[in-house]
Amino acid sequence: EPCTFPCQCPSQPLQCPAGTSHVLDGCGCCKVCARQLGELCSLHRPCDHHKGLYCDFSKIHRGSGICLAHEGATCDLLGRIYLNGESFQPTCKLQCICMDGAIGCIPLCSDDLRLPSPECPSPRRVKFHNKCCEEWVCEEGSENDFGTAMAVFREAPAQKPELNDLQENCLVQTTAWSACSRSCGMGISTRVTNDNPQCRLEKETRLCMVRPCDFPMEKTKKGKKCVRTPRPRQSLHFEFSGCTSTRSYRPRFCGSCSDGRCCTPELTGTADVEFRCPEGDSFRRKMMFIKMCSCHYDCPRDNDIFLATYHRRMIGDHV
């Protein structure tokens, strides 16, 4: 069917299965759910190019094609072989994809935490026989349990009857940010906090970059063992999943230590960074900004398994 301009897109948000990209249709108008390996495709219904798929028109007539993967290594999981570009569910809790010999997975169940509250003094996760993901159940606890739950909340003044105002009575608890998941390049740092209207413990994430992977290490001055927080000579744009920060920055990075120790962030701040993607949409993410680094022997190792084994860049793969 021909393209019609101006574009008319559905008003309701796009709902795609987990792990399926949102891509522009053939007219460059509206976001659609990308077609997956082996599915029918057309100029208007594109394949998931983030996964290296393309629409092969040679096998089917009348303007339709089938999504195939570019040449790439297969994946072996527990004796089962998956093709490059193939999506699969090894369990009901995981959605995975084979990408040129490496397997990447996203969880289908939330891993949220729950703090005891007056409404739910003894929360626990329960597995129901007809459901895959565990769910929170609030049990009627004993007097002692309820006292423990109330200890998290401040005493409300007598003149204020709204005891159910969780945010007002919540004793905010927040952990420190974890170390960055990568020693160079863009990684992720996490923490747990209940600083929200529901006073519920939730995991927060922020992007982090200890140093770029191609960052030139400056020579240490005579008598000094560390170059701790060098800045790049020119301002730079951050890149994340094929999208670029809308403004440029001159962030501090952690340098090097000449005596075998590693240099990691000691004091950091967090700020919102806006990213714009090639297809025109934008999003904001919290990001770590380094204020000071220090040298020590407790050296972290890269713990991002997927990125450590899969180095090819996924152009345009954005949220």
Side-chain angles (χ1 to χ4, degrees):
E1 60 192 73
C3 298
T4 54
F5 297 100
C7 299
Q8 289 186 325
C9 301
S11 56
Q12 63 269 26
L14 193 60
Q15 297 291 327
C16 299
T20 300
S21 305
H22 297 188
V23 296
L24 283 173
D25 61 19
C27 300
C29 275
C30 310
K31 286 290 181 78
V32 294
C33 299
R35 299 287 162 151
Q36 303 303 303
L37 187 70
E39 292 182 347
L40 291 177
C41 53
S42 68
L43 291 173
H44 291 282
R45 297 178 298 173
C47 299
D48 204 332
H49 63 88
H50 300 143
K51 297 175 182 175
L53 303 181
Y54 68 98
C55 196
D56 184 349
F57 292 99
S58 65
K59 297 185 171 50
I60 300 176
H61 298 295
R62 295 184 183 170
S64 286
I66 192 163
C67 289
L68 298 179
H70 291 289
E71 287 291 319
T74 58
C75 302
D76 184 347
L77 182 66
L78 301 174
R80 183 145 181 212
I81 303 296
Y82 297 96
L83 299 174
N84 178 36
E86 185 176 355
S87 294
F88 59 97
Q89 273 188 256
T91 75
C92 63
K93 295 184 177 182
L94 287 175
Q95 176 76 41
C96 302
I97 181 172
C98 170
M99 296 195 68
D100 201 11
I103 295 173
C105 299
I106 56 170
L108 298 177
C109 299
S110 70
D111 60 349
D112 62 326
L113 301 160
R114 184 144 191 183
L115 189 74
S117 67
E119 290 83 17
C120 188
S122 304
R124 66 187 187 95
R125 295 191 83 140
V126 174
K127 175 81 174 76
F128 293 99
H129 73 277
N130 59 338
K131 292 186 178 177
C132 174
C133 301
E134 295 170 336
E135 293 184 8
W136 284 109
V137 170
C138 295
E139 293 187 331
E140 289 298 325
S142 62
E143 295 266 332
N144 188 37
D145 287 339
F146 189 74
T148 308
M150 285 305 292
V152 178
F153 293 81
R154 299 191 187 96
E155 289 290 322
Q159 69 269 23
K160 285 196 174 182
E162 56 271 358
L163 284 170
N164 61 344
D165 187 350
L166 292 180
Q167 198 167 22
E168 197 161 313
N169 300 310
C170 181
L171 183 64
V172 174
Q173 300 177 85
T174 304
T175 65
W177 287 103
S178 69
C180 193
S181 64
R182 301 194 73 195
S183 56
C184 76
M186 194 69 83
I188 289 175
S189 171
T190 62
R191 72 176 180 182
V192 174
T193 181
N194 65 339
D195 191 5
N196 53 61
Q198 293 76 36
C199 191
R200 280 183 56 175
L201 277 176
E202 291 177 347
K203 188 171 14 175
E204 279 187 339
T205 61
R206 65 175 180 177
L207 299 175
C208 51
M209 188 186 287
V210 178
R211 61 183 68 82
C213 289
D214 57 355
F215 195 51
M217 290 300 181
E218 296 179 30
K219 290 183 180 174
T220 52
K221 292 178 183 172
K222 197 169 183 179
K224 290 192 87 177
K225 290 182 178 175
C226 303
V227 176
R228 288 189 180 170
T229 47
R231 285 180 187 265
R233 289 189 173 86
Q234 295 176 324
S235 59
L236 55 86
H237 288 267
F238 292 119
E239 286 194 19
F240 175 58
S241 293
C243 306
T244 309
S245 62
T246 53
R247 54 161 288 203
S248 60
Y249 297 85
R250 277 195 72 218
R252 293 181 185 275
F253 294 125
C254 288
S256 56
C257 309
S258 62
D259 55 359
R261 291 183 296 171
C262 50
C263 196
T264 59
E266 177 76 18
L267 192 62
T268 67
T270 306
D272 278 347
V273 173
E274 185 176 12
F275 291 87
R276 190 166 298 282
C277 305
E279 291 173 335
D281 42 356
S282 59
F283 60 89
R284 301 179 80 86
R285 283 285 184 278
K286 284 190 174 77
M287 181 147 183
M288 174 188 82
F289 283 88
I290 298 169
K291 296 177 181 176
M292 189 176 78
C293 302
S294 66
C295 293
H296 55 85
Y297 289 106
D298 182 21
C299 300
R301 290 188 297 174
D302 260 358
N303 58 7
D304 192 327
I305 298 164
F306 182 69
L307 288 171
T309 57
Y310 182 74
H311 296 290
R312 196 182 71 196
R313 209 162 149 238
M314 294 169 66
I315 301 294
D317 191 14
H318 58 271
V319 180

